[in-house]
């Protein structure tokens, strides 16, 4: 394909050249070029500081939806603006709780930008879920066709997801249900407001946008709920503790989140150092789609190793298919899911990660097998639950004669369950100077091709056909980095 050999294309200005740069670059490259040297049309926000935060492409229509600071845009396939929806700025104060749209606030109000933190298409109901940083993290449901606002739930405490105004801290997964209401699984950083916001929860997505149950917790009683909060004792031990949700997806009967969080001391000694002194662990969290009680919660550390170097700081991830060549190499089928990930070296400086980074691949089959082994060992009474940040102490696993099959969704014992044995991926490619920051993939002619974005704004195309050798085929410089 001649179009894949073009060496330069104009990309729109995107903050930090993160996940958006990779996805936009991949999408643009997928369009055949009329002739060599011709640039593609670019799209820019109305103001340079109203940067793009998230992008999703409709699987059927090809329309692009962009979540930006103060705006949600809908673009056509040639990057023509079709419609935009204003989300800010608005007068606000992060100290107002509940937010001022519910009741007056005595705090001084200032014009505040609305950072888009979540942008998901609900295909079953033809609508777009857009969540921002204003008003403690309120969401809107917009009609896909014209971005007409269907509802903005804000009258209940659970409608406020988190006031953290950073991207890369929240992720959501919509689980549709045939002929019934859907479910939204959402994980978010809480910035010390653990009493207000759960770190992970599942919520109702009724078909009727005006339903009073919109975004309610799936289950919420005095004894069991479809949510987990960070205990106050954890903040006393590690003052900067939070859980950052980097990626999420559904596969089979499970929902998964990839997170990064500080390690917590197990000797009850408080850590008063700065964030640069903390060790961080990247983890994969798994829940059953239908588990309203969160009894199926399992969390294991993830990373990869190349030539003795550990890569443990997750930067980005993407769920895809392996293609015939990579599937043969990994001993899986072409229909199995694989998880491409970007890790930086080591376990320190998560907020300013090292440039030394690795592109790795995990099979979901392997991840599930490791989780199954962990469940089996705990139900045999071996070891502890190993979830110190949540439980605050060592809790012994309870021996129980329970068969653990591939679809096991937990009981009211041995949960929530953590672990310390690393789930290791296969390192495909490493970069020591220009840190990789984002990844996406697709299958072409049986080969899995990965596109990786870097810190400097370059886009790399790699052939992941061989597990031990990723080929650097193409490199692009983004327009914003050249200016």
């Amino acid at each position: 394909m001649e179009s894949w050999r073009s060496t330069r294309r104009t990309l729109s200005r995107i903050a930090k050249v993160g996940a958006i740069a990779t996805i936009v670059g991949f999408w643009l490259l997928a369009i055949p070029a009329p002739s060599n040297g011709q640039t593609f049309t670019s799209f820019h926000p109305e103001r340079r500081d109203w940067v793009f935060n998230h992008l999703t492409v409709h699987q059927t229509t090809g329309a692009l939806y962009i979540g930006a600071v103060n705006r949600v845009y809908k673009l056509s396939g040639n990057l023509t603006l079709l419609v935009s929806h204003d989300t800010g700025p608005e007068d606000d104060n992060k100290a107002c709780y509940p937010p001022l749209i519910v009741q007056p606030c005595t705090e001084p109000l200032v014009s505040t930008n609305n950072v888009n933190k979540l942008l998901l298409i609900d295909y079953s109901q033809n609508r777009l879920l857009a969540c921002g940083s204003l008003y403690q993290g309120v969401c809107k449901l917009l009609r896909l066709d014209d971005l007409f606002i269907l509802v903005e739930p804000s009258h209940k405490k659970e409608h406020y997801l988190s006031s953290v105004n950073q991207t890369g801290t929240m992720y959501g997964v919509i689980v549709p249900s045939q002929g019934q209401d859907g479910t939204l699984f959402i994980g978010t950083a809480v910035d010390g407001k653990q009493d207000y916001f759960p770190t992970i929860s599942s919520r109702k997505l009724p078909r009727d946008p005006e339903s009073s149950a919109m975004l309610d917790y799936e289950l919420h009683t005095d004894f069991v709920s479809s949510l987990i909060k960070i205990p106050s004792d954890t903040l006393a031990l590690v003052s900067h503790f939070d859980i950052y949700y980097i990626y999420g997806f559904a596969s089979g009967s499970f929902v998964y989140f990839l997170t990064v969080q500080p390690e917590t001391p197990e000797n009850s000694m408080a850590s008063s150092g700065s964030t640069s002194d903390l060790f961080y662990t990247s983890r994969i969290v798994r829940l059953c789609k239908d588990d309203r009680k969160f009894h199926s919660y399992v969390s294991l550390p993830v990373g990869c190793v190349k030539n003795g170097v550990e890569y443990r700081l997750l930067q980005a991830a993407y769920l895809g298919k392996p293609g015939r060549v990579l599937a043969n190499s990994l001993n899986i089928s072409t229909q199995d899911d694989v998880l491409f990930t970007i890790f930086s070296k080591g376990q320190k400086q998560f907020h300013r990660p090292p440039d030394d980074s690795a592109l790795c691949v995990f099979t979901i089959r392997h991840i599930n097998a490791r989780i199954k082994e962990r469940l089996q060992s705990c139900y045999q009474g071996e070891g502890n639950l190993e979830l110190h940040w949540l439980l605050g102490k060592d809790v012994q696993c309870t021996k129980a004669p329970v068969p653990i099959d591939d679809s096991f969704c937990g009981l009211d014992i041995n949960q929530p369950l953590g672990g310390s044995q690393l789930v290791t991926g296969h390192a495909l490619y490493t970069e020591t100077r220009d840190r990789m920051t984002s990844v996406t993939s697709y299958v072409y002619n049986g080969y899995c091709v990965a596109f990786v974005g870097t810190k400097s704004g370059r886009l790399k195309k790699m052939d992941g056909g061989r597990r031990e050798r990723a080929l650097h085929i193409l490199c692009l410089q983004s327009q914003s980095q050249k200016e």
Side-chain angles (χ1 to χ4, degrees), residues 238-242 244 262 271-280 347-352:
V238 182
S239 59
H240 299 287
F241 185 88
D242 215 335
Y244 304 95
S271 173
S272 58
S274 66
T275 55
S276 61
D277 298 325
L278 297 174
F279 278 85
Y280 288 82
Q347 288 185 264
K348 297 193 74 174
Q349 300 282 356
F350 168 63
H351 296 286
R352 298 185 66 183

Side-chain angles (χ1 to χ4, degrees), residues 201-428:
S201 59
S202 65
R203 298 157 182 272
K204 299 175 183 178
L205 270 183
R207 289 170 293 175
D208 179 5
E210 297 183 0
S211 169
S212 61
M214 181 63 71
L215 296 185
D216 283 0
Y217 298 124
E218 280 278 284
L219 180 66
H220 197 198
T221 71
D222 292 338
F223 304 103
V224 63
S225 298
S226 52
L227 62 92
I228 292 177
K229 289 187 174 184
I230 298 172
S232 299
D233 290 348
T234 301
L235 274 298
L237 285 174
V238 182
S239 59
H240 299 287
F241 185 88
D242 215 335
I243 301 178
Y244 304 95
Y245 290 79
I246 309 300
Y247 189 65
F249 60 93
S251 178
S253 58
F254 301 103
V255 170
Y256 303 78
F257 286 97
L258 286 160
T259 69
V260 180
Q261 65 188 64
E263 292 187 349
T264 53
E266 298 185 6
N267 55 7
S268 298
M269 296 295 291
S271 173
S272 58
S274 66
T275 55
S276 61
D277 298 325
L278 297 174
F279 278 85
Y280 288 82
T281 299
S282 302
R283 305 185 75 88
I284 188 157
V285 173
R286 192 186 79 175
L287 285 158
C288 289
K289 287 180 178 178
D290 297 326
D291 178 18
R292 301 170 64 197
K293 299 180 178 180
F294 277 27
H295 284 171
S296 62
Y297 183 100
V298 182
S299 170
L300 296 180
V302 291
C304 58
V305 180
K306 180 75 170 179
N307 298 327
V309 178
E310 287 194 353
Y311 297 87
R312 299 285 299 275
L313 292 175
L314 182 71
Q315 304 295 300
Y318 182 80
L319 185 75
K321 297 295 183 181
R324 173 178 43 82
V325 179
L326 184 58
N328 290 339
S329 177
L330 296 172
N331 195 29
I332 59 175
S333 80
T334 56
Q335 296 307 308
D336 280 359
D337 286 335
V338 292
L339 185 65
F340 291 95
T341 55
I342 301 293
F343 288 91
S344 277
K345 176 182 175 182
Q347 288 185 264
K348 297 193 74 174
Q349 300 282 356
F350 168 63
H351 296 286
R352 298 185 66 183
D355 287 336
D356 196 347
S357 54
L359 168 66
C360 308
V361 64
F362 297 78
T363 69
I364 301 304
R365 180 183 295 185
H366 175 63
I367 291 171
N368 287 337
R370 293 297 306 275
I371 291 175
K372 183 178 178 180
E373 291 171 5
R374 176 69 180 116
L375 285 164
Q376 288 173 332
S377 111
C378 189
Y379 274 84
Q380 290 167 3
E382 301 173 2
N384 300 318
L385 297 187
E386 295 189 65
L387 208 63
H388 195 267
W389 71 266
L390 181 57
L391 303 176
K393 59 182 178 180
D394 291 333
V395 178
Q396 181 72 32
C397 286
T398 301
K399 186 174 183 178
V402 177
I404 310 293
D405 59 19
D406 292 340
S407 59
F408 182 71
C409 282
L411 300 173
D412 59 358
I413 60 171
N414 295 331
Q415 57 78 31
L417 182 62
S420 56
Q421 293 297 312
L422 186 70
V423 180
T424 306
H426 304 283
L428 297 175

